[in-house]
Amino acid sequence: MFKKLLTNIFFLLITSNQFYPLKKACTEIFISSKDTVKYLVVKISLEKDWHIYWINSGDSGMPTEITLELPPGISIQETYWATPKKFESDGLVSYGFENITIILIKLPEYLNSITNNTLVLKINSLICKEVCIPYDTIITFQINDLDIIDDLENYLSINKIHFPKASPNLFLSADTDNEKVILKISNHNFIDKILDIYFYPYISGVFKNLSKQNFYIDNESVKLELPFDPFKTHSPDKVSGILYFKTINSYDEKKIIQESYEISFNINHKQIKE
Amino acid sequence: MKTIFILFFNFIFLTSIFSQQAKIDSKAPDFKLKDSNGNEHSLSDFSGKFVVLEWINYDCPFVKKHYDSGNMQSLQEKYTKRDVIWLAICSSAKGKQGNFSSEEINKRSKEHNAKFTAYLIDEDGKVGKMYGAKTTPHMYIIDDRGILVYAGAIDDIKSTDIKDIEKAKNYVSLALDELLDGKSVTIKSTTPYGCSVKY
């Protein structure tokens, strides 16, 4: 009996992470559909405390690049990224993901024409904890061989992945001086319930990457300050990115709602009215 | 009273140096650091010369890309032969990646056949923060009037792949060639890429 117990414990130890630790990161791909649109679901899982970068990596690191090689004449429609989070270390702020992230690649409507083709997914990225290591992956596959995720919404929910929604009826205007942009956000339903706002720009090298962006309520709008990077590389007229809100639930003040929207706004180069 | 005055003056002086932020087209902030041989260097020692500041961490994959390929060393050699001062600066804090003993620094520099003018140790990160150094590598170029004329990436391909070096546009070469030809720097700032500086 004792010998059997020892054997079982030994077997358990051998098969546990203690003896076979997880790879730092691994990628799995699936097929799913939402409404009538088919997606390649790219799931990147990371070992505890490791993170991978968003398309704008922030102060350091390297933006993650993902490409899907399709047969000639066929191109990817669009790639969708989840809302990133901030990683701060010694005053430097980066944007990325930890634990799990999912990237959706919208597939062509005429999917049947490529189901028998061999496709190649390439990921070129960097994963970091206290140190960084390259994470480059090439996956060769055929669509027909992939597992299907029946309920994509549920799958994303289980994995706690949030994608930005298309912008609701937010009114956005942005003024600038040489130091910063003030983004004015109007027509948000719960302006007085806002706990936090953060704008993640798609482009790097324009705004300072901060752990917190200052905002204030002004009449019935919110004004978000976006200071420029001291070494700003260019002065765009139009900026796109993800606007993240953290608000108190109006119906249950103990609950916090987190939501994010894809936005674009033009920058008016005139004197900021404080 | 005199002691208080001296202490106050030193506080203001030191604070003003280390809180100062470098800006393009402005005077580059002066600093004084020891190199890996224990010798002190100030930026002002090199007044009248073109100076390159290269933020370094020998264990960073991006720094390795440029050193294992010989790219960084060939830039260092090419331009130091033309009287450019090339200072590698390490702002890694004690116990963090990239922080080495002087012996280890010199050993690795010799192994890499590094051709910088000096490897400066900025263990408390003051100079790194003064310059807003975020990554390794992070490159800065100061002209012969002491003006910061470039800050950013070494080149335009953000990767750890050595094969990308020959395809990339090298911003440091571009800027130095322009300066040495008596011209203004065309591309003055780019987004740096690399490992975070380990303050």
Side-chain angles (χ1 to χ4, degrees), chain A residues 1-9:
Chain A
M1 169 81 172
F2 183 64
K3 199 173 170 183
K4 194 173 178 182
L5 182 64
L6 276 179
T7 308
N8 286 341
I9 291 170

Side-chain angles (χ1 to χ4, degrees), chain B residues 99-124:
Chain B
N99 182 290
F100 304 112
S101 66
S102 294
E103 294 73 28
E104 182 66 21
I105 291 167
N106 290 337
K107 175 172 169 272
R108 290 206 189 199
S109 299
K110 191 177 177 185
E111 280 167 2
H112 282 302
N113 198 24
K115 302 287 187 194
F116 40 63
T117 308
Y119 182 119
L120 303 183
I121 299 167
D122 176 40
E123 205 169 76
D124 61 12

Side-chain angles (χ1 to χ4, degrees), chain B residues 40-197:
Chain B
E40 259 184 1
H41 301 271
S42 294
L43 181 63
S44 50
D45 292 343
F46 307 111
S47 178
K49 304 243 185 202
F50 295 116
V51 179
V52 174
L53 305 180
E54 171 207 331
W55 255 265
I56 191 171
N57 166 358
Y58 276 136
D59 280 347
C60 164
F62 296 92
V63 172
K64 282 182 178 178
K65 167 190 170 186
H66 290 286
Y67 271 87
D68 289 351
S69 60
N71 182 47
M72 195 67 84
Q73 300 91 312
S74 68
L75 289 171
Q76 292 163 349
E77 185 171 28
K78 178 180 176 183
Y79 291 107
T80 54
K81 278 183 176 172
R82 297 187 68 181
D83 214 26
V84 172
I85 303 296
W86 195 295
L87 303 173
I89 302 179
C90 183
S91 297
S92 294
K94 218 171 181 62
K96 292 200 178 176
Q97 188 199 49
N99 182 290
F100 304 112
S101 66
S102 294
E103 294 73 28
E104 182 66 21
I105 291 167
N106 290 337
K107 175 172 169 272
R108 290 206 189 199
S109 299
K110 191 177 177 185
E111 280 167 2
H112 282 302
N113 198 24
K115 302 287 187 194
F116 40 63
T117 308
Y119 182 119
L120 303 183
I121 299 167
D122 176 40
E123 205 169 76
D124 61 12
K126 286 198 174 95
V127 178
K129 288 173 185 174
M130 200 191 309
Y131 275 80
K134 296 179 182 178
T135 59
T136 52
H138 195 154
M139 311 298 296
Y140 298 78
I141 299 174
I142 299 157
D143 73 7
D144 53 0
R145 299 164 301 151
I147 304 295
L148 183 66
V149 292
Y150 177 77
I154 182 170
D155 61 26
D156 69 346
I157 299 184
K158 295 178 169 103
S159 80
T160 53
D161 191 347
I162 283 177
K163 292 196 283 288
D164 286 334
I165 291 173
E166 59 184 16
K167 294 183 269 183
K169 177 195 283 184
N170 191 295
Y171 294 121
V172 174
S173 265
L174 203 63
L176 285 172
D177 288 342
E178 285 171 329
L179 288 170
L180 290 164
D181 277 346
K183 297 173 187 163
S184 305
V185 171
T186 312
I187 300 173
K188 295 189 175 188
S189 67
T190 57
T191 306
Y193 68 88
C195 309
S196 59
V197 172

Side-chain angles (χ1 to χ4, degrees), chain A residues 53 57-63 65 89-90 92 94 124-126 130-134 136 179 204-209 229-234, chain B residues 21-24 59-62 96-97 129 131-135 138 140 148 151 158-160 164 189-199:
Chain A
Y53 294 96
S57 64
D59 279 337
S60 60
M62 185 178 98
E65 282 179 2
S89 174
D90 301 312
L92 300 174
S94 302
N124 178 28
S125 66
L126 192 76
E130 284 124 17
V131 297
C132 294
I133 54 177
D136 297 331
E179 305 290 326
S204 59
V206 175
F207 299 113
K208 254 190 203 175
N209 303 305
D229 188 309
F231 298 129
K232 185 174 57 155
T233 55
H234 61 292
Chain B
Q21 282 289 318
K23 282 185 184 175
I24 295 289
D59 280 347
C60 164
F62 296 92
K96 292 200 178 176
Q97 188 199 49
K129 288 173 185 174
Y131 275 80
K134 296 179 182 178
T135 59
H138 195 154
Y140 298 78
L148 183 66
K158 295 178 169 103
S159 80
T160 53
D164 286 334
S189 67
T190 57
T191 306
Y193 68 88
C195 309
S196 59
V197 172
K198 305 289 186 263
Y199 289 111

